[in-house]
């Protein structure tokens, strides 16, 4: 039986309930009995598939096709994980795909996977946040490509924007609809739904306040009529706080079941939120799922000046610029990781940090289980905080050591490796019954023993992160985007072509053996590397 991913919710609901009941009875749960989570399995073979966004890809040499963007799909296998066989590229000039590639569309900057028609095959949503709708510049759109027994197919593909019939709001210049995407089942009807961030949305006369549209799944896929689309912003209903210019509500999104009631919930990053007079300190709104879908009932508003939250709101912290959800203490309630990549650690500017807010019966709570904050000067964490590290600029959740407790990967794309500026790194914190811990934490980069390629200036290793189970074993695997990677050597090197490293899980966590290095000049991969393509800017 296929376990459908809900955007990093790595413990299925019934499994969580069983763990809780057995624990109450004093019985031991057999960790080895849990099936592996599936995150993005487009052909239903039980192995995840990897999607890599190349938002600055040119199609041809004409300026009319500059930076149109595309996505690569590389399929998993039970042998060595990801393989080049049957790999695909998709863009708006692909046969039968809706709309047309246009200059600066940046197709593929945001990605999400969910089973929107509940047919057993995951489907792919691709953000095109700079898509023009008619003459409306950068209004934004989303293409949806559906899965099948043979993988992603153009059959039944869809093209959504705010002027689509039934979609709330209206396409306006610089809305950037599709800048962020997340999939989850908000009304627990068996069909995944799609949350679409439009961080440039004007609310009335309030510019760039931001909004999020919810498009619900159905037997025929995403539909704005079977269950009506909804739009949410900080002036909606009883949503806490108010829309303000430049807030960018919807810049980031993630999904988890924070109260373990069977309905997925939505976390919305508002990283430019002012907290009082503190400019761009950042915040996160939480909207809970229900029988009618996303609702304002019990919604929450979190920031670093919230009661019992570690740290303090400071100018330009950007709390909420990255988000991820998972169950870090295996209590059945998903928890929220919040990136604060420009957090100052002492006097060290933009070193970065991550807050963890734990789930409970009543949803996210900083009192049921104390909130925690992590950074590179936290006791036991490998490496140290340095100016411009941007610890927490990207986040991803998976069970890398196979103990049925979620772990957290933290991107540190501004990390210097020795004297190599902005080469980038990833820190991995492992989950325990008490939550995330520094015990056994890992610090990985391209100069780590056995990791493919070499750390170079401006690589940005860790700029993007994604999790999948690409070989179908009991361990989740990690994709690390390296969008600044040069491909080739010496005078033949192509700056900014981009690449991804794939690190496979084991009972000891992520390991170097069998790691992979993919780019557009990899053997048998469609297309080829070009200057500043930024392969790996988005990954899923």
């Amino acid at each position: 039986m296929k376990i459908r991913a809900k955007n990093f919710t790595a413990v299925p609901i019934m499994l969580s309930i069983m763990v809780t009941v057995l624990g109450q009875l004093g019985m031991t749960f057999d960790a080895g009995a849990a099936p592996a989570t599936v995150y993005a399995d487009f052909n239903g073979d039980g192995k995840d598939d990897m999607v890599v966004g190349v938002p600055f890809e040119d199609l041809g040499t004409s300026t009319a096709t500059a930076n149109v963007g595309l996505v690569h799909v590389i399929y998993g296998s039970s042998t060595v994980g990801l393989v080049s066989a049957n790999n695909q590229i998709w863009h708006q000039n692909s046969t039968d795909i809706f709309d047309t590639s246009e200059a600066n569309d940046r197709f593929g900057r945001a990605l999400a996977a969910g089973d929107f028609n509940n047919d057993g095959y995951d489907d792919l949503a691709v953000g095109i946040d700079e898509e023009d709708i008619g003459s409306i510049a950068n209004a934004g759109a989303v293409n949806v490509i559906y899965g099948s027994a043979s993988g992603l197919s153009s059959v039944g593909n869809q093209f959504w924007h705010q002027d689509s019939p039934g979609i709330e709001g209206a396409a306006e210049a610089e809305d950037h609809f599709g800048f962020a995407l997340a999939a989850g089942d908000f009304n627990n009807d068996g069909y995944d739904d799609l949350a679409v961030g439009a961080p440039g949305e004007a609310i009335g006369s309030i510019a760039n306040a931001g909004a999020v549209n919810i498009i619900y799944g159905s037997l025929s896929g995403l539909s704005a009529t079977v269950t009506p689309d909804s739009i949410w912003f900080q002036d909606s209903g009883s949503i806490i706080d108010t829309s303000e210019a430049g807030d960018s509500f919807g810049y980031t999104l993630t999904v988890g079941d924070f109260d373990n009631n069977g309905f997925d919930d939505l976390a919305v990053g508002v990283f430019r939120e002012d907290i009082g007079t503190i400019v761009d300190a950042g915040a996160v709104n939480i909207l809970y799922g229900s029988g009618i879908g996303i609702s304002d009932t019990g919604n929450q508003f979190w920031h670093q000046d919230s009661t019992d939250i570690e740290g303090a709101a400071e100018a330009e912290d950007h709390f909420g610029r990255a988000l991820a959800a998972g169950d870090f203490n295996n209590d059945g309630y998903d928890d929220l990781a919040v990136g604060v990549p420009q957090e100052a650690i002492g006097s060290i500017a933009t070193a970065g940090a991550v807050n963890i807010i734990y789930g409970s019966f009543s949803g996210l709570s900083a009192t049921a289980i104390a909130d925690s904050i992590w950074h590179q000067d936290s006791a036991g964490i490998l490496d140290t905080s340095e100016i411009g590290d941007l610890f927490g600029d990207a986040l991803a959740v998976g069970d890398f050591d196979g103990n049925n407790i979620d772990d957290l990967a933290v991107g540190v794309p501004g990390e210097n490796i020795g004297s190599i500026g902005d080469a980038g790194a990833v820190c991995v914190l492992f989950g325990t019954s008490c939550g995330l811990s520094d015990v056994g934490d890992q610090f990985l980069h391209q100069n780590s023993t056995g990791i493919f390629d070499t750390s170079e200036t401006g690589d940005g290793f860790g700029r993007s992160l994604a999790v999948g189970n690409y070989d179908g074993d009991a361990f989740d695997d990690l994709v690390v985007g390296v969008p600044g990677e040069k491909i080739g050597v010496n005078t033949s090197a192509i700056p900014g072509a981009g690449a991804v490293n794939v690190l496979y899980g084991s009972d000891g966590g992520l390991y170097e053996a069998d790691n992979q290095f993919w780019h557009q000049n990899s053997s048998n991969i469609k297309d080829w590397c070009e200057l500043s393509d930024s392969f790996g800017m988005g990954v899923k």
Side-chain angles (χ1 to χ4, degrees):
M1 181 181 70
K2 180 182 174 190
I3 305 298
R4 291 187 299 114
K6 300 294 177 66
N7 229 58
F8 303 129
T9 305
V11 181
I13 293 163
M14 291 307 297
L15 175 60
S16 300
I17 294 170
M18 182 167 30
V19 170
T20 302
V21 171
L22 291 175
Q24 290 172 346
L25 294 175
M27 300 170 65
T28 300
F29 179 72
D30 178 10
T37 298
V38 174
Y39 296 87
D41 180 9
F42 303 122
N43 57 5
D45 65 354
K47 289 84 181 175
D48 278 319
D49 311 311
M50 178 177 71
V51 186
V52 181
V54 195
F56 298 102
E57 178 76 36
D58 300 342
L59 294 182
T61 58
S62 167
T63 57
T65 57
N67 300 325
V68 300
L70 59 74
V71 297
H72 285 260
V73 182
I74 302 175
Y75 286 87
S77 74
S78 58
T79 52
V80 294
L82 294 167
V83 294
S84 63
N86 301 314
N87 75 94
Q88 298 173 307
I89 57 173
W90 294 95
H91 47 76
Q92 288 184 310
N93 283 356
S94 297
T95 302
D96 296 326
I97 293 295
F98 279 113
D99 206 62
T100 303
S101 294
E102 298 152 324
N104 300 312
D105 275 353
R106 297 181 186 174
F107 181 96
R109 189 150 64 174
L111 303 164
D115 190 356
F116 304 124
N117 56 3
N118 195 22
D119 64 352
Y121 306 105
D122 281 329
D123 313 309
L124 178 66
V126 182
I128 323 138
D129 74 289
E130 297 201 6
E131 177 79 36
D132 296 347
I133 303 302
S135 61
I136 306 169
N138 300 334
V142 176
N143 278 89
V144 181
I145 307 172
Y146 283 84
S148 72
S150 57
L152 291 175
S153 163
S154 63
V155 175
N157 77 95
Q158 298 174 310
F159 182 62
W160 295 96
H161 49 80
Q162 285 186 308
D163 280 351
S164 297
I167 296 295
E168 295 289 328
E172 299 159 318
E174 308 300 335
D175 275 353
H176 294 282
F177 179 91
F179 187 89
L181 302 170
D185 188 358
F186 303 124
N187 57 3
N188 196 25
D189 64 355
Y191 303 102
D192 278 333
D193 314 310
L194 183 66
V196 183
E201 177 81 33
I203 305 303
S205 62
I206 305 169
N208 300 316
V212 175
N213 283 81
I214 310 294
I215 311 174
Y216 288 89
S218 74
L219 183 64
S220 58
L222 292 176
S223 170
T225 55
V226 175
T227 300
D229 164 82
S230 60
I231 190 168
W232 297 93
F233 45 88
Q234 287 185 314
D235 286 339
S236 300
S238 64
I239 298 296
I240 298 173
D241 205 61
T242 56
S243 295
E244 298 154 321
D247 275 353
S248 296
F249 179 95
Y251 185 91
T252 48
L253 302 168
T254 200
V255 170
D257 188 0
F258 304 123
D259 52 7
N260 194 19
N261 66 350
F263 302 97
D264 280 334
D265 312 311
L266 180 66
V268 181
V270 199
F271 83 107
R272 288 198 173 105
E273 178 77 40
D274 297 346
I275 303 302
T277 59
I278 305 169
V279 175
D280 293 349
V284 177
N285 283 85
I286 309 297
L287 307 178
Y288 284 87
S290 71
I292 59 171
I294 288 294
S295 163
D296 57 359
T297 301
N299 76 95
Q300 298 175 308
F301 183 63
W302 294 96
H303 49 80
Q304 285 187 310
D305 280 353
S306 297
T307 303
D308 294 321
I309 293 293
E310 294 290 325
E314 299 159 318
E316 310 292 341
D317 272 354
H318 290 182
F319 180 93
R321 197 164 83 187
L323 300 170
D327 188 357
F328 302 125
N329 56 3
N330 198 26
D331 64 354
Y333 303 102
D334 279 331
D335 314 310
L336 182 65
V338 182
V340 198
Q342 296 196 173
E343 176 81 31
I345 304 302
S347 62
I348 305 168
T350 64
V354 176
N355 280 85
I356 309 297
I357 310 174
Y358 285 88
S360 73
F361 181 77
S362 58
L364 292 177
S365 170
T367 54
I369 298 174
D371 163 80
S372 60
I373 191 168
W374 296 91
H375 47 77
Q376 287 184 302
D377 283 349
S378 297
I381 296 296
L382 298 176
D383 206 63
T384 56
S385 295
E386 298 154 320
I387 293 173
D389 276 351
L390 301 178
F391 181 94
D393 197 51
L395 302 170
V397 171
D399 182 8
F400 304 124
D401 55 4
N403 67 350
N404 294 317
I405 306 176
D406 281 336
D407 313 310
L408 179 66
V410 181
V412 199
E415 179 75 38
N416 296 342
I417 304 301
S419 61
I420 305 166
D422 297 338
V426 173
C427 178
V428 182
L429 305 176
F430 289 90
T432 73
S433 60
C434 298
L436 288 177
S437 166
D438 58 358
V439 175
D441 68 298
Q442 295 181 294
F443 182 65
L444 302 165
H445 47 80
Q446 287 185 313
N447 280 0
S448 297
T449 302
I451 298 293
F452 278 115
D453 207 63
T454 304
S455 294
E456 297 156 319
T457 300
D459 274 354
F461 181 94
R463 171 73 181 271
S464 60
L465 300 171
V467 168
N469 190 340
Y470 303 116
D471 50 9
D473 63 8
F475 310 103
D476 284 335
D477 314 311
L478 181 68
V479 178
V480 182
V482 198
E485 180 74 44
K486 290 188 295 186
I487 302 300
V489 295
N490 301 327
T491 58
S492 298
I494 304 170
V500 297
N501 284 83
V502 182
L503 307 176
Y504 286 84
S506 73
D507 56 8
L510 296 171
Y511 71 118
E512 295 84 357
D514 300 324
N515 79 96
Q516 297 176 315
F517 184 61
W518 294 94
H519 48 78
Q520 288 183 305
N521 282 1
S522 296
S523 180
N524 298 319
I525 292 297
K526 298 180 188 298
D527 206 65
W528 52 87
C529 290
E530 297 159 318
L531 176 69
S532 301
D533 273 354
S534 296
F535 180 96
M537 180 70 75
V539 290
K540 179 58 185 172

